[in-house]
Amino acid sequence: MSLTIKDVAEKAGVSVTTVSRVLNDRGYISAKTRKKVMTTMEELNYTPNEMARSFLSNKTRFIALIVPTTENPFFGELTFHIEKELAQKGYNLFICNSLNDVDNEKKYLRLLQEKRVDGVIVGSHNININEYEYFENKIVSIERELTAHIPIIQSDNYLGGKLAAQELVDKGCKRILCIRGDQHIKTPANDRATAYKDVMEENGLNYSFKEVPFQLQDQEKEALIDQIFAGEVVYDGIFAGDDIIAKMCINSAIVHGKSVPEELKVIGFDGTKIVRQLNPELSTIIQPIEKLAQKSVKILLAVLNEEKVNQVTKLSVKLLASNSTKR
Amino acid sequence: MSLTIKDVAEKAGVSVTTVSRVLNDRGYISAKTRKKVMTTMEELNYTPNEMARSFLSNKTRFIALIVPTTENPFFGELTFHIEKELAQKGYNLFICNSLNDVDNEKKYLRLLQEKRVDGVIVGSHNININEYEYFENKIVSIERELTAHIPIIQSDNYLGGKLAAQELVDKGCKRILCIRGDQHIKTPANDRATAYKDVMEENGLNYSFKEVPFQLQDQEKEALIDQIFAGEVVYDGIFAGDDIIAKMCINSAIVHGKSVPEELKVIGFDGTKIVRQLNPELSTIIQPIEKLAQKSVKILLAVLNEEKVNQVTKLSVKLLASNSTKR
DNA sequence: TTGAAAGCGCTAACAG
DNA sequence: CTGTTAGCGCTTTCAA
């Protein structure tokens, strides 16, 4: 068992209160006493028990982040930036991979209550669950509509959808498919589909959707995508749900004897660092991941501080149009 | 403030001890009392305060993971698997991005002591720091040599280096460069360099190294890599430190007018899921990330349980040789 | 089978 | 300026 404040107090010949005062730099203390206590703490190599303090203050300085999986680079990068931001503000990050499974998410929410985390950032995507209500005064969400009162930080998905669709149109595509997620999940990402539809209509083109739920396994996604190219391929452009799906489309198209980008142009979404490094030739919409992280943390801390915050925060996105002759 | 065990006790007309017994399923309790307490807990929607329990038991059921950054897909994937594994065993994950900075790492270690995490998994890479000694009975490391007593879980780097070098030789390369990390950091990854050297010598070829420290910024790495191709390029094969560096080499080579893979063959290391999805044409050595995660957790829990464990655990790697005509 | 009371390490009145 | 004391919510003896 480690040393306590009491050990320090005894060794230094003062009361525990005095040690506590030094520790927290609170109240009047003579320079001499402070010095003595500090020295003693060092000699003993005393480490305050944050657990006890948390218990007392009812604050853990833990923030939980619920994401589908940090395996996905969007969330891996988001996690990194959120942790960095939180650490700077003196908070620590408790990671929860929900795998987009409702039961997992419920279990985690229960756990978070028990562990008394100070706040929660949700980036997972599910049908809504009531359990979020419990956290209403200490939660924000990234790209997901939870309840009417939970602040949401999101990319400008409409703009993203518009830029993507317009890019394909500008490159001469006439029959463009939009791959979207599960329609029944309320997420700002749905705005992309709306924007796509609007662009198509403005340009007098037909629109068509294919649903590839985000929570599927990669193999299942690939199977769905293969369906697109299995029969006679009627598309010359695809606006994919994310960069990985975009890549899957490209792979499938090539396997099915389609040349990319000559016969088929594909545009992705997310534009994570790793995708841009590995596939710079992929056109995509870049989400401001670092800013999403910063805003989320900022707004969450404001909420915890009982300040008034905007219900919706929308951040701009950018088109990364590949000039490459390859794609 | 949330409800306490006392509220439940009062409402149920029993003592707090009894409620505690129900909560922990310990000691003798009549079925009737148990039922009454359970019902009351539900009615009140009582959530036990895990913080208080932690405080008492001196166990937080938190495990910390120190990685350079979850932004890097190797660590993003590792984080995912470790969290999944821990959650299954009833532990939660506290993430620390060290950015391979010694000061960050020291700060985190201090924090981990204060927060009284039950254990630590380290995947960060630095010069050794003494602070780890404090954790000797509750720590394991992934691919990093900390102290003589800290168990290490690693890939078979020698095998990886051998497979990679041999692959390049087999493909006909004669002048192969090995890009390695900082020589002064003690890591099993150094074995790759040894294996490479051995293979070169076996084949009567000259070996040569280029140091690209892992902790540099991407831009700095690119600058170092550009140096390789800036002058007259003497290499026809490169064994890169990881897949991202491999890709940087390919990019730089192409920019400098070299054709890949005709004039230059490159092999990477790590073989993360995302890299295989986005760049299936890149030859690489696949690290068993999921197994590394599982073993790390298993061994850490054994350590916490005061069981005897192996000081070194080595997991096999696989060559992913691209058949693609493209690279 | 149940309850009373002590105490985990720390902070915060309240005295002195 | 410093010390005494009373808890925070829970578990754990020890009694009943």
Side-chain angles (χ1 to χ4, degrees):
Chain A
M1 197 63 41
S2 26
L3 295 170
T4 75
I5 203 174
K6 209 173 145 197
D7 299 307
V8 178
E10 276 170 14
K11 177 111 192 275
V14 298
S15 74
V16 291
T17 311
T18 304
V19 179
S20 173
R21 288 209 181 89
V22 173
L23 224 41
N24 297 284
D25 206 17
R26 230 196 298 284
Y28 299 106
I29 288 212
S30 73
K32 203 176 131 205
T33 309
R34 142 173 278 109
K35 179 122 193 239
K36 190 172 50 182
V37 172
M38 303 266 272
T39 314
T40 311
M41 294 201 293
E42 284 192 6
E43 276 173 22
L44 258 35
N45 192 22
Y46 164 76
T47 314
N49 186 335
E50 197 59 39
M51 243 201 303
R53 297 167 122 177
S54 290
F55 171 49
L56 199 60
S57 66
N58 220 29
K59 298 258 170 296
T60 55
R61 296 200 81 81
F62 263 116
I63 301 292
L65 174 64
I66 307 181
V67 292
T69 159
T70 56
E71 208 178 24
N72 177 305
F74 177 79
F75 293 107
E77 295 183 12
L78 189 68
T79 300
F80 166 69
H81 292 294
I82 286 180
E83 194 277 332
K84 215 177 56 171
E85 207 65 23
L86 284 175
Q88 214 176 286
K89 313 277 188 190
Y91 283 88
N92 299 112
L93 188 61
F94 171 2
I95 270 284
C96 311
N97 290 293
S98 75
L99 288 168
N100 285 313
D101 178 88
V102 181
D103 287 337
N104 277 336
E105 213 166 316
K106 283 188 183 172
K107 261 184 235 151
Y108 274 121
L109 286 174
R110 169 105 197 150
L111 188 71
L112 299 183
Q113 284 179 241
E114 293 180 354
K115 291 260 188 180
R116 302 291 198 265
V117 297
D118 289 350
V120 183
I121 301 177
V122 183
S124 183
H125 296 265
N126 274 322
I127 47 168
N128 286 1
I129 48 183
N130 301 329
E131 276 77 357
Y132 281 111
E133 282 170 12
Y134 177 88
F135 289 98
E136 278 199 344
N137 55 339
K138 51 175 95 168
I139 197 171
V140 300
S141 110
I142 296 180
E143 289 274 335
R144 176 165 176 202
E145 287 163 29
L146 296 174
T147 76
H149 306 295
I150 296 180
I152 175 167
I153 294 85
Q154 57 176 83
S155 288
D156 189 338
N157 282 272
Y158 188 88
L159 175 62
K162 199 172 152 184
L163 290 172
Q166 194 62 53
E167 166 72 7
L168 291 174
V169 170
D170 290 350
K171 286 269 165 82
C173 300
K174 300 290 182 205
R175 290 148 298 138
I176 303 172
L177 174 70
C178 173
I179 298 181
R180 56 171 305 164
D182 186 334
Q183 294 200 41
H184 304 99
I185 297 176
K186 276 184 107 182
T187 143
N190 293 333
D191 296 347
R192 302 177 198 170
T194 311
Y196 153 80
K197 185 161 166 267
D198 290 349
V199 170
M200 291 295 102
E201 285 176 342
E202 277 166 28
N203 288 275
L205 298 170
N206 292 323
Y207 57 85
S208 103
F209 292 102
K210 167 104 187 166
E211 213 175 276
V212 177
F214 185 74
Q215 66 273 21
L216 295 184
Q217 302 288 324
D218 287 332
Q219 278 195 330
E220 299 173 294
K221 289 183 188 173
E222 279 164 354
L224 283 174
I225 288 165
D226 276 338
Q227 289 173 5
I228 302 172
F229 300 99
E232 196 176 342
V233 182
V234 295
Y235 304 108
D236 59 4
I238 294 187
F239 171 23
D242 65 37
D243 295 327
I244 296 173
I245 289 178
K247 182 68 182 175
M248 288 176 177
C249 289
I250 292 170
N251 291 344
S252 182
I254 291 172
V255 166
H256 286 88
K258 209 76 177 160
S259 68
V260 180
E262 294 75 12
E263 297 176 81
L264 178 77
K265 293 180 179 45
V266 179
I267 188 163
F269 212 99
D270 286 353
T272 53
K273 197 171 150 188
I274 186 79
V275 167
R276 285 187 276 159
Q277 280 178 324
L278 295 177
N279 272 36
E281 64 277 12
L282 177 70
S283 291
T284 189
I285 302 297
I286 301 180
Q287 294 210 56
I289 301 185
E290 185 169 0
K291 274 197 198 132
L292 281 170
Q294 288 167 345
K295 274 285 180 191
S296 305
V297 169
K298 193 170 174 193
I299 292 176
L300 177 62
L301 297 188
V303 168
L304 297 184
N305 213 14
E306 296 182 350
E307 294 165 24
K308 218 171 136 33
V309 300
N310 294 329
Q311 160 68 10
V312 177
T313 303
K314 208 174 271 188
L315 301 174
S316 195
V317 298
K318 276 195 314 207
L319 166 70
L320 175 69
S322 162
N323 313 309
S324 157
T325 53
K326 267 186 63 229
R327 305 233 149 96
Chain B
M1 197 62 44
S2 26
L3 296 170
T4 75
I5 204 174
K6 209 174 147 195
D7 299 305
V8 178
E10 276 170 15
K11 177 109 191 280
V14 297
S15 74
V16 292
T17 312
T18 305
V19 178
S20 173
R21 287 210 181 88
V22 174
L23 224 43
N24 296 284
D25 206 17
R26 231 196 298 284
Y28 299 105
I29 288 211
S30 71
K32 205 175 126 204
T33 311
R34 145 175 274 107
K35 181 125 190 238
K36 191 171 51 181
V37 172
M38 302 266 272
T39 315
T40 312
M41 291 201 294
E42 284 191 5
E43 278 172 22
L44 258 36
N45 190 21
Y46 165 76
T47 312
N49 186 334
E50 197 59 39
M51 239 200 306
R53 298 168 121 177
S54 289
F55 170 49
L56 200 59
S57 67
N58 220 27
K59 299 258 170 296
T60 55
R61 296 200 81 79
F62 264 116
I63 302 292
L65 174 63
I66 308 181
V67 291
T69 159
T70 56
E71 209 177 24
N72 178 304
F74 177 80
F75 293 107
E77 296 184 12
L78 188 69
T79 300
F80 166 68
H81 292 294
I82 286 179
E83 194 277 332
K84 216 176 56 170
E85 207 64 24
L86 284 175
Q88 214 176 284
K89 313 275 188 191
Y91 284 88
N92 299 112
L93 187 61
F94 171 4
I95 271 285
C96 311
N97 290 294
S98 75
L99 290 167
N100 285 314
D101 178 87
V102 181
D103 287 337
N104 278 335
E105 213 165 317
K106 283 187 184 172
K107 262 185 234 151
Y108 275 121
L109 286 174
R110 169 104 197 152
L111 188 69
L112 298 183
Q113 284 179 241
E114 294 181 352
K115 291 258 188 183
R116 301 294 199 261
V117 297
D118 290 351
V120 183
I121 302 177
V122 184
S124 184
H125 295 264
N126 274 322
I127 46 167
N128 286 1
I129 47 183
N130 301 329
E131 277 77 356
Y132 281 111
E133 282 169 15
Y134 177 88
F135 288 99
E136 276 198 347
N137 53 339
K138 52 175 94 169
I139 197 170
V140 300
S141 110
I142 296 180
E143 290 273 339
R144 175 166 176 201
E145 286 163 30
L146 296 174
T147 77
H149 306 295
I150 295 180
I152 175 166
I153 294 87
Q154 56 175 83
S155 289
D156 189 338
N157 283 271
Y158 188 88
L159 175 61
K162 201 172 151 184
L163 290 172
Q166 195 62 53
E167 166 71 7
L168 291 174
V169 171
D170 290 350
K171 287 267 165 81
C173 300
K174 301 287 181 208
R175 289 147 301 137
I176 303 173
L177 174 70
C178 174
I179 298 181
R180 57 170 304 161
D182 186 333
Q183 295 200 43
H184 304 98
I185 297 177
K186 275 184 108 182
T187 144
N190 293 334
D191 296 346
R192 302 177 198 170
T194 311
Y196 153 80
K197 184 160 165 269
D198 290 349
V199 170
M200 292 294 99
E201 285 176 344
E202 276 166 28
N203 287 276
L205 298 170
N206 292 324
Y207 56 85
S208 100
F209 292 101
K210 168 105 187 167
E211 213 174 274
V212 176
F214 185 75
Q215 65 274 20
L216 294 184
Q217 302 287 323
D218 287 333
Q219 278 196 332
E220 298 173 296
K221 290 182 187 173
E222 279 164 354
L224 283 175
I225 288 165
D226 276 339
Q227 290 174 3
I228 301 173
F229 300 99
E232 194 176 345
V233 182
V234 294
Y235 304 108
D236 58 4
I238 295 186
F239 171 24
D242 64 37
D243 295 327
I244 296 173
I245 289 177
K247 181 69 182 173
M248 288 176 177
C249 288
I250 291 170
N251 291 346
S252 182
I254 291 172
V255 166
H256 287 88
K258 211 71 178 164
S259 68
V260 180
E262 294 76 11
E263 298 176 83
L264 179 77
K265 294 180 180 39
V266 179
I267 188 163
F269 213 99
D270 286 354
T272 53
K273 197 171 149 189
I274 187 78
V275 168
R276 285 186 277 158
Q277 281 177 324
L278 295 177
N279 273 37
E281 65 276 13
L282 177 69
S283 292
T284 188
I285 302 297
I286 301 179
Q287 294 211 55
I289 301 185
E290 185 170 1
K291 274 196 198 134
L292 281 170
Q294 288 168 345
K295 274 286 181 193
S296 306
V297 169
K298 192 169 172 193
I299 292 175
L300 177 61
L301 297 189
V303 168
L304 296 184
N305 212 14
E306 296 183 349
E307 295 165 24
K308 215 170 138 39
V309 301
N310 293 329
Q311 159 69 10
V312 177
T313 303
K314 209 174 270 188
L315 302 173
S316 195
V317 299
K318 277 195 315 212
L319 167 69
L320 175 69
S322 165
N323 311 310
S324 157
T325 53
K326 267 187 62 228
R327 293 222 162 108

